[in-house]
Amino acid sequence: MDIIVYNILAAFCCFIVGYLFGSFPSGVVVGRSFFKQDPRDLGSKNSGGTNASRLWGFKFGIIVYILDFIKVAVPLWGVWAILTFVNFGSQPLIPQTILMIKRETSNYIVQWPVYWLVILGAVIGHCYPAFAKFKGGKAAAVTFSSAVFSSWFVGIVSVATFFTTLKIKKYISLSSMLGSIAAAISAWLTCIPTFNLYCMYGYTLCPGWVFGLVMSLSSIVLIIRHSSNIKRIINGDERKIKWM
């Protein structure tokens, strides 16, 4: 089979795995299990953790957030491990990160970190879940989960931006958007030579332009999903938090 076809199939499979995991409707499952309610019919009619917190309390909102974090971390790291360490024939499909950084990839069929497409799939799946009639959340939890579980540097930058904005402006929506932009920018910074050796969790997930591109696309999806929040912020109608 042509090497281009292998690369396309690998990319497609990674995206689909991410999409299926991302489609798990955490908020809907929690709401129906504990309260016999569907968050998509109440409050902001969103299945994410923010609406869950407003409907059922902080504790259940945290449960939804944790589940949303897990549904990104598990497939991302799982697919990375399978592609990097499991032999497909005589060797794994993709080289380990240190070899990618050194550009010693010529002996491998897939020469780029295709597993990053799991994140994009999870973001799309979270927003348009196949298991919940394609009506999901706004991508905040999965985007921040992607940042935190991919790179300590990107995780710190994005989370710090989120909470700093939240402290000053009190808008969760605005904080989510600015935090996602910070995640995208800091992900592109992992392209910097030498720094790319230290900004991740060791030689695990590969830093670089694919990571930056995926985080940028995730941020764009998040911002688009928050279009109604943007209008309310401009009109002064957006709800502010009171606990910070």
Side-chain angles (χ1 to χ4, degrees):
M1 187 180 295
D2 189 272
I3 191 170
I4 296 178
V5 176
Y6 274 117
N7 276 262
I8 292 174
L9 285 175
F12 179 75
C13 289
C14 288
F15 179 86
I16 291 300
V17 168
Y19 177 79
L20 293 176
F21 272 86
S23 288
F24 177 76
S26 307
V28 176
V29 170
V30 170
R32 289 179 175 174
S33 299
F34 293 97
F35 302 97
K36 307 302 181 184
Q37 296 177 340
D38 190 327
R40 297 170 299 173
D41 298 327
L42 303 166
S44 64
K45 303 186 185 302
N46 183 270
S47 63
T50 300
N51 194 34
S53 297
R54 291 168 178 166
L55 293 174
W56 310 311
F58 184 75
K59 178 176 70 174
F60 288 96
I62 290 298
I63 292 174
V64 173
Y65 277 124
I66 290 174
L67 290 175
D68 284 341
F69 266 54
I70 290 174
K71 71 185 187 183
V72 178
V74 170
L76 176 61
W77 283 85
V79 168
W80 164 78
I82 291 172
L83 293 179
T84 306
F85 298 109
V86 176
N87 285 352
F88 292 82
S90 60
Q91 65 180 19
L93 281 181
I94 66 174
Q96 295 185 28
T97 290
I98 187 61
L99 296 178
M100 289 189 187
I101 293 176
K102 293 181 178 180
R103 301 184 185 279
E104 298 175 2
T105 61
S106 59
N107 294 328
Y108 293 84
I109 294 176
V110 180
Q111 302 176 5
W112 58 290
V114 65
Y115 45 76
W116 285 125
L117 291 180
V118 170
I119 290 178
L120 188 59
V123 169
I124 300 299
H126 178 76
C127 295
Y128 308 101
F131 308 134
K133 299 180 180 179
F134 302 99
K135 186 179 179 182
K138 294 186 177 181
V142 290
T143 298
F144 283 102
S145 173
S146 301
V148 170
F149 285 103
S150 297
S151 162
W152 64 264
F153 169 68
V154 176
I156 288 175
V157 171
S158 59
V159 171
T161 301
F162 174 87
F163 281 108
T164 300
T165 306
L166 191 61
K167 177 68 175 178
I168 297 172
K169 293 296 185 180
K170 311 298 183 184
Y171 294 128
I172 290 181
S173 56
L174 179 63
S175 302
S176 297
M177 288 184 280
L178 292 182
S180 73
I181 292 172
I185 293 173
S186 54
W188 281 106
L189 294 179
T190 67
C191 295
I192 299 174
T194 304
F195 179 64
N196 59 11
L197 299 175
Y198 307 102
C199 59
M200 311 298 281
Y201 296 113
Y203 295 133
T204 52
L205 303 175
C206 186
W209 70 270
V210 181
F211 181 33
L213 179 60
V214 165
M215 292 307 297
S216 296
L217 293 174
S218 299
S219 178
I220 291 171
V221 172
L222 185 150
I223 292 171
I224 291 174
R225 293 287 290 175
H226 281 79
S227 58
S228 59
N229 300 88
I230 295 173
K231 293 177 182 178
R232 288 196 294 270
I233 291 173
I234 294 174
N235 295 330
D237 299 326
E238 181 74 341
R239 184 183 301 182
K240 292 185 177 183
I241 63 166
K242 298 179 180 179
W243 49 268
M244 178 180 284

